[in-house]
Amino acid sequence: MRTLLLAATLVLCTVSLSFAAKFDTSFSYSTIETEHFSIHYHQGLEEVSRKVAAIAEETHPLLAREFGWQPAGKTQVVLIDDSDFINGLAVTIPYNAVYLQVVPPSVASTLGEYDDWLRVLFTHEYAHILSADPARGYSKVTRAIFGKPFPSLDPLSVLFFIATAPPNTFLPRWWHEGMATWAESKYTGVGRGKGTYYDMVFRSAVADDDLPSVDQINGDVPYWPSGHLAYMYGYRLQRYIADTYGPEAAGKLAIAHSGRFPYLINSPPEDLFNGKDYSDIYRDMIVALKLEQRARIKELSRVPFTPLTVVNNQGENLTNPRYSPDGSRIAFTRRDPNDHNSVVVTDASGKNVLAQFRRQLSDGSLSWSPDGKSLYFTQAEIERGFNVYQDLYVHHLESGETKRLTRGERLSDAQVAPDGRTAAAVVSSRGSQNLALFDLSLGDKAQPLPVTGYTLERVSSPSFSPDGRSICYVLTDNTGMSALRIYDTAEKTDRALFRASRTFAFPIWAPDGSAVYYISDETGVFNLFAFDLKGGASYQVTHLLAGAIQPAPAPDGSSLLLASYSSKGFKIARMEIDRSRWSLTRGPSLPSARTASLATEAEVGSAAAPSPSRYSAAKTLLPRFWLPKIYGDGSDQSVIGAFTAGADVLGYNSYAISAAYSEGRKRGYFSLTYLNDYFYPTLSLRAHNEPFVYSDLYQKGYDYWEVNRGAELAASIPVNFLESSYRIKGGYELLDQKALSRLSSDGTFGGIPVFQGRRNNLFAGISYSSALKYPYSISPEEGRDLTFLYRYFGRDIGADQNLSEYSARYEQYLRLSKTQLPHQVLYLRLSGALADGDLQYGQQAFQIGGAPSEYNQYPLRGYPTRSMTGKYVATGTVEYRAPLAYPFTGPGTAPAFLEKVHGALFADAGQVWDDNRSFHANETRVGAGAELRADMTIGYWAKVTPALGFAHGFNRGGENQVYFTLYLGM
């Protein structure tokens, strides 16, 4: 139970404990204050901050009225340009804060349709605040007493947290994301709920009879649309509630939940909506969705659909197809929940794979070199420790070598000119995107030269004309308008072909230069259109049921590739080009759900700009909550105390403090931890005077208690990459240990010598991780984890011992086969430690035995827990892991979801020894057995893996064990 509660704590409070993610230390922050918001931004985001200030104050009264809630105090808003991929985060504990990554959303993303991307993003995140923050009834009382807390890591603190935190915090993800997506759609001109992408997903799901059950949106399924399920179907549920039970239903629900104990989620809808719980309403919503979409399908079916031939469906999301210059090969980006993202090259039929190479997080775009020997693409990597920026790479197909060409340039949609000397790309910076050119002949010294100067607008999908003189691209502004534009590289002029309040995307030239193909939702479906450059007219080329994106004409102009959508994702399809079938008239068409933009750019910009001031951490640093803390110290009475913690909104300073008093021992205890992240190394200070227990010391049946007093000063340096990381740490610790348990006259406890005195030490360590797992994985499938730690205890640094301790752990994950044995893994683990110097005492000895857990550093299954001790320890594990079933099911809307069932066959080996008992191979203890494991989500958010195991120890001291353990983060 203790481990289960710890798991819930770690997951539920991860955002609160680390909601100030580490930021680039070159960012210098300023603040502007409005009536309801404090807006923090770094250099280069001055214009963005003024716009967000105006949007925030316009949005506040709308959402406050919608949800019937006025937050106490100002909401903190942090604007940061640290990623090329838009995202947001809202937290309500311990105070209300919104974090916005300031970059226009990709046109291919679910956020790609908007009237004003900053307004959509802010409205969504602020809706999270106003729907999660309310309190009434018992929670209003607990908030007045305790504030909005997050817990320390003791189990009782977790229970206090559940009882006192805002009740809406514990609602399922579909509730939170559905409510915010519904609000964003209601209070902006577009929003995801009014977009063609969501409608495409719903229409295809109905057409294919592939609608998710309520437990599937309640859990975490890996298959398409996976992480979007909570947003999409949560939105439809909230929209159905508003349409059926009245526009005020959302606010009533949020307030009703805020006075209910966590996880009792069905009482509010039953009270408000004629006795129906969420499962009932979800079923009603699905019925309504089917009726709506079947009517749309019927309307679209009045005219025969354009025939498409699927050429490759080996993956869940296959996008960005491109013919090679000679038309003999096809390249596309493959994203699949069973494997790493990759670029796939096939023959012209799409059936035979000729090459495949890995690709990291990216926009997906591809471009062939004119000679067909290389592929250019962009992908992300971490810059300056924390920023996720895309750069240009080239992969040479003959050698298989991938070379990075730029660093920190923030590029996307890179396309190579027909002469191979120039490339065009979109460059992002401080909320704006622009078209840029660069000289490929400079190799890795090439730097992009922007040729447009747009502000806070999106540029996407540049494409060279066959003669290399012109570049067509799409510009999307913040009034709901998109324009197809052409930049002349010789004249350095830029003009619009046409402009309309619809989505235009993925323009690409016909091979003969006579037309520009593009995707538009002009008919309510993502269809292919062509703009005839000579006649100046636009033609509808396809009529599709679901939709398609990213056209790619064959070099001879006879056919064209598309990323075609179905309810299972995107597949690569081919269509024949027949200009006689192009139509000037549109249709059949679906009605648009778009509404007028709430404010024009001019109106937003006309708002009075608040004066900025330098960011002050002190304003958000003071404690905002406290919780009782009750624990033991080996006396006959409980230790009673209190705990609090805090951090400024940028995470430069964070701390946790506790203080307590033991009536049984007539003494006080305290603990203080402080982290400073103003600089690249994290500096930490810890001071403590706390009891510590060695449970069942040496398996003697007694718990040994001592008090540890001391302080620690340390520095930690992260070296981060997208798919691996290092962490280097070092510091100095002052530590004094005194017995609380009664000792014998000879200073022993139960006959075991125990240490009392100073254990001051210097320490240094390094950790490395490159372990990777995928949505269908049952554990990491490749890569390794490595840790090493050294501690020096010496009288010359104030210790009462001369001792050196070394500890290390190495873990390796080996995927057995991608195809024949999918997700089956061979796991190898080696760990050990040694102490070189003065005699170790009972508390310091290394111990092996027992099942793996968060508290057992050297497990050895088949032997009693911590049953063998020594000065030196070495253990190893070989484990075969295999999936058994993928249930992906749960009991309706209850806070439990079973994802995967898997098993493991294992063999453990280990030995401890000391100066009086040397290492002998025949003394090695060996155990083997099997475990049945299940990946589950509990409490809607916490990921845990309970396991039931059997182990047999083959050597002296071995036994047959049936045990239960709980893995976190497997």
Side-chain angles (χ1 to χ4, degrees):
M1 183 65 178
R2 180 180 179 185
T3 308
L4 190 63
L5 288 170
L6 176 59
T9 304
L10 291 173
V11 177
L12 289 170
C13 303
T14 293
V15 170
S16 297
L17 289 168
S18 61
F19 61 88
K22 304 296 176 62
F23 295 151
D24 186 334
T25 55
S26 69
F27 291 160
S28 178
Y29 277 85
S30 301
T31 302
I32 55 177
E33 302 283 352
T34 68
E35 182 181 358
H36 300 101
F37 302 92
S38 298
I39 298 173
H40 314 284
Y41 61 95
H42 59 78
Q43 67 272 31
L45 297 180
E46 291 79 7
E47 184 170 352
V48 178
S49 70
R50 291 190 292 270
K51 180 172 180 176
V52 170
I55 289 172
E57 287 299 339
E58 290 174 2
T59 306
H60 170 77
L62 302 175
L63 294 186
R65 182 171 61 249
E66 182 69 62
F67 292 107
W69 183 252
Q70 289 281 348
K74 291 185 177 183
T75 297
Q76 308 298 312
V77 180
V78 176
L79 307 176
I80 181 167
D81 187 23
D82 67 345
S83 176
D84 285 342
F85 307 93
I86 192 170
N87 208 343
L89 172 68
V91 294
T92 57
I93 298 174
Y95 49 80
N96 296 332
V98 167
Y99 298 81
L100 305 178
Q101 288 175 317
V102 182
V103 62
S106 162
V107 68
S109 73
T110 58
L111 274 167
E113 303 165 87
Y114 56 81
D115 55 345
D116 184 327
W117 63 270
L118 272 172
R119 183 181 294 276
V120 170
L121 185 62
F122 177 81
T123 303
H124 182 97
E125 299 304 334
Y126 194 49
H128 278 311
I129 297 293
L130 292 186
S131 60
D133 187 52
R136 71 173 182 89
Y138 89 91
S139 66
K140 191 173 183 179
V141 174
T142 59
R143 184 171 302 186
I145 298 171
F146 299 106
K148 294 190 291 183
F150 56 81
S152 61
L153 294 182
D154 63 279
L156 195 59
S157 177
V158 178
L159 296 178
F160 279 124
F161 164 69
I162 293 173
T164 58
N168 291 8
T169 300
F170 303 95
L171 288 167
R173 188 164 177 248
W174 57 260
W175 194 96
H176 287 286
E177 298 302 347
M179 192 70 80
T181 305
W182 173 79
E184 126 203 348
S185 303
K186 179 176 180 179
Y187 289 102
T188 68
V190 184
R192 278 169 280 196
K194 297 175 182 174
T196 303
Y197 197 117
Y198 268 34
D199 196 56
M200 173 179 71
V201 172
F202 297 137
R203 184 170 60 255
S204 299
V206 171
D208 296 342
D209 194 21
D210 193 22
L211 291 159
S213 58
V214 70
D215 61 320
Q216 290 170 326
I217 72 164
N218 201 49
D220 187 11
V221 298
Y223 47 80
W224 181 258
S226 57
H228 300 293
L229 270 178
Y231 293 79
M232 292 174 172
Y233 290 90
Y235 156 73
R236 285 300 303 223
L237 184 61
Q238 299 294 356
R239 176 181 141 184
Y240 176 81
I241 289 172
D243 291 346
T244 305
Y245 300 103
E248 71 285 353
K252 288 181 178 179
L253 264 181
I255 295 300
H257 279 294
S258 70
R260 299 280 184 172
F261 198 74
Y263 305 121
L264 303 177
I265 73 166
N266 281 312
S267 294
E270 288 173 341
D271 293 343
L272 293 169
F273 310 136
N274 306 319
K276 292 190 174 185
D277 63 16
Y278 279 118
S279 294
D280 298 328
I281 300 171
Y282 186 83
R283 283 190 291 269
D284 293 344
M285 180 275 290
I286 291 294
V287 171
L289 178 61
K290 288 180 177 179
L291 290 173
E292 173 196 273
Q293 291 300 332
R294 284 170 179 165
R296 290 173 173 251
I297 293 169
K298 182 178 180 181
E299 171 62 22
L300 293 174
S301 301
R302 290 190 300 105
V303 173
F305 296 112
T306 303
L308 300 180
T309 302
V310 173
V311 299
N312 194 291
N313 61 357
Q314 299 303 302
E316 188 175 81
N317 274 295
L318 311 180
T319 61
N320 304 90
R322 285 291 183 267
Y323 275 108
S324 62
D326 63 0
S328 66
R329 290 163 294 166
I330 298 169
F332 55 87
T333 295
R334 180 182 187 269
R335 298 181 178 98
D336 188 87
N338 292 285
D339 201 0
H340 198 286
N341 294 347
S342 63
V343 174
V344 179
V345 180
T346 71
D347 62 11
S349 73
K351 305 302 181 185
N352 302 308
V353 176
L354 306 177
Q356 188 169 350
F357 59 91
R358 288 190 167 202
R359 187 175 192 177
Q360 295 188 164
L361 176 68
S362 73
D363 63 348
S365 60
L366 293 168
S367 181
W368 286 89
S369 62
D371 60 10
K373 294 182 178 180
S374 302
L375 281 164
Y376 289 84
F377 61 98
T378 54
Q379 67 179 9
E381 188 51 274
I382 294 180
E383 296 293 323
R384 293 191 57 84
F386 308 103
N387 304 326
V388 182
Y389 293 159
Q390 288 199 114
D391 275 291
L392 183 64
Y393 293 73
V394 60
H395 180 84
H396 301 293
L397 292 168
E398 291 182 359
S399 67
E401 176 194 9
T402 298
K403 183 179 181 181
R404 186 173 183 173
L405 299 180
T406 65
R407 288 192 175 273
E409 296 295 350
R410 308 194 61 183
L411 304 174
S412 61
D413 287 343
Q415 294 295 307
V416 179
D419 62 9
R421 295 196 297 267
T422 305
V426 175
V427 61
S428 300
S429 179
R430 302 310 187 239
S432 301
Q433 290 183 328
N434 280 285
L435 179 65
L437 301 176
F438 48 97
D439 187 349
L440 291 177
S441 66
L442 298 176
D444 57 9
K445 294 182 174 57
Q447 291 188 328
L449 174 67
V451 295
T452 60
Y454 304 115
T455 301
L456 301 185
E457 295 180 317
R458 179 178 70 199
V459 170
S460 62
S461 307
S463 174
F464 277 98
S465 60
D467 62 6
R469 175 176 177 134
S470 301
I471 301 171
C472 62
Y473 67 95
V474 174
L475 175 69
T476 306
D477 67 15
N478 290 306
T479 62
M481 303 294 289
S482 291
L484 186 61
R485 303 187 66 87
I486 291 184
Y487 177 79
D488 188 307
T489 59
E491 300 293 333
K492 295 181 172 54
T493 58
D494 191 272
R495 63 187 176 91
L497 286 180
F498 58 88
R499 185 170 182 262
S501 59
R502 301 297 303 185
T503 296
F504 300 126
F506 313 112
I508 191 166
W509 296 79
D512 61 4
S514 64
V516 173
Y517 293 108
Y518 64 95
I519 298 294
S520 176
D521 65 347
E522 187 177 344
T523 62
V525 177
F526 287 130
N527 272 309
L528 178 69
F529 292 78
F531 187 86
D532 187 305
L533 294 168
K534 184 177 181 180
S538 173
Y539 296 84
Q540 183 174 343
V541 179
T542 65
H543 169 53
L544 303 174
L545 174 61
I549 58 176
Q550 298 160 341
D556 64 5
S558 64
S559 64
L560 181 143
L561 296 174
L562 292 158
S564 175
Y565 186 78
S566 77
S567 65
K568 302 297 185 183
F570 288 94
K571 305 298 180 278
I572 305 301
R574 178 185 286 113
M575 63 167 289
E576 302 304 317
I577 298 296
D578 182 355
R579 292 202 176 206
S580 67
R581 293 181 178 273
W582 294 8
S583 173
L584 281 170
T585 59
R586 306 307 197 231
S589 296
L590 300 177
S592 173
R594 294 185 181 218
T595 56
S597 180
L598 294 184
T600 66
E601 293 179 279
E603 289 170 344
V604 172
S606 67
S611 299
S613 61
R614 186 176 179 180
Y615 171 74
S616 171
K619 293 182 179 180
T620 51
L621 193 57
L622 293 177
R624 305 294 182 99
F625 74 90
W626 71 278
L627 280 179
K629 191 171 184 180
I630 303 174
Y631 55 99
D633 65 352
S635 65
D636 57 358
Q637 297 188 43
S638 296
V639 179
I640 308 297
F643 161 80
T644 190
D648 70 282
V649 73
L650 294 182
Y652 289 143
N653 310 273
S654 54
Y655 61 89
I657 304 171
S658 68
Y661 183 76
S662 170
E663 181 64 30
R665 297 196 183 273
K666 306 297 183 184
R667 66 183 303 155
Y669 301 112
F670 77 91
S671 175
L672 165 66
T673 300
Y674 169 73
L675 302 178
N676 182 298
D677 276 301
Y678 282 102
F679 312 102
Y680 185 56
T682 295
L683 304 177
S684 63
L685 173 66
R686 179 171 177 258
H688 59 98
N689 181 350
E690 287 279 279
F692 189 86
V693 62
Y694 298 86
S695 299
D696 197 10
L697 184 66
Y698 274 48
Q699 296 291 297
K700 296 292 185 178
Y702 304 101
D703 294 340
Y704 172 70
W705 288 87
E706 68 181 17
V707 61
N708 290 344
R709 296 174 293 186
E712 177 186 287
L713 181 64
S716 176
I717 303 173
V719 181
N720 297 321
F721 301 93
L722 266 185
E723 297 187 351
S724 64
S725 64
Y726 298 84
R727 186 169 295 273
I728 304 166
K729 67 177 182 180
Y732 177 64
E733 181 184 24
L734 295 168
L735 179 62
D736 184 65
Q737 299 174 228
K738 296 294 182 184
L740 289 175
S741 297
R742 187 182 300 276
L743 303 182
S744 302
S745 58
D746 61 356
T748 63
F749 178 76
I752 301 169
V754 293
F755 177 81
Q756 295 191 84
R758 293 174 297 173
R759 297 197 78 223
N760 301 350
N761 64 92
L762 291 166
F763 61 90
I766 185 171
S767 63
Y768 167 78
S769 178
S770 62
L772 297 177
K773 62 185 301 187
Y774 309 107
Y776 273 98
S777 299
I778 58 170
S779 84
E781 295 191 7
E782 53 185 298
R784 60 191 58 86
D785 293 327
L786 173 67
T787 62
F788 173 80
L789 179 64
Y790 168 73
R791 288 185 181 271
Y792 170 73
F793 306 83
R795 291 181 174 85
D796 54 341
I797 58 171
D800 292 331
Q801 283 183 304
N802 286 324
L803 187 70
S804 291
E805 285 186 357
Y806 306 82
S807 61
R809 184 178 72 250
Y810 177 85
E811 296 170 285
Q812 180 76 48
Y813 304 91
L814 301 172
R815 180 191 290 186
L816 296 183
S817 171
K818 291 183 181 181
T819 55
Q820 301 300 318
L821 302 170
H823 308 298
Q824 300 189 31
V825 177
L826 188 65
Y827 166 70
L828 308 174
R829 182 181 188 269
L830 295 173
S831 61
L834 65 89
D836 181 22
D838 291 351
L839 175 68
Q840 283 188 297
Y841 290 81
Q843 313 101 300
Q844 303 162 20
F846 302 117
Q847 302 174 319
I848 63 172
S853 75
E854 296 296 307
Y855 307 100
N856 191 2
Q857 190 173 3
Y858 300 104
L860 182 58
R861 289 164 284 195
Y863 297 85
T865 301
R866 300 189 300 277
S867 57
M868 294 163 279
T869 61
K871 193 173 180 180
Y872 311 97
V873 61
T875 64
T877 293
V878 177
E879 194 166 282
Y880 164 68
R881 300 172 175 176
L884 301 176
Y886 291 98
F888 299 125
T889 189
T893 59
F897 187 76
L898 178 61
E899 298 177 16
K900 307 159 193 169
V901 178
H902 46 105
L905 302 175
F906 62 82
D908 294 342
Q911 186 175 162
V912 291
W913 66 100
D914 55 32
D915 295 335
N916 299 318
R917 186 179 72 253
S918 60
F919 177 87
H920 293 285
N922 60 4
E923 288 294 319
T924 299
R925 305 301 200 271
V926 176
E931 287 186 0
L932 180 66
R933 300 165 177 168
D935 292 346
M936 301 179 66
T937 302
I938 59 171
Y940 301 119
W941 301 91
K943 299 283 190 181
V944 297
T945 303
L948 179 65
F950 170 80
H952 173 74
F954 293 96
N955 304 97
R956 180 164 50 89
E959 61 183 18
N960 290 325
Q961 294 177 336
V962 177
Y963 59 89
F964 173 83
T965 190
L966 192 71
Y967 295 100
L968 305 179
M970 173 169 277

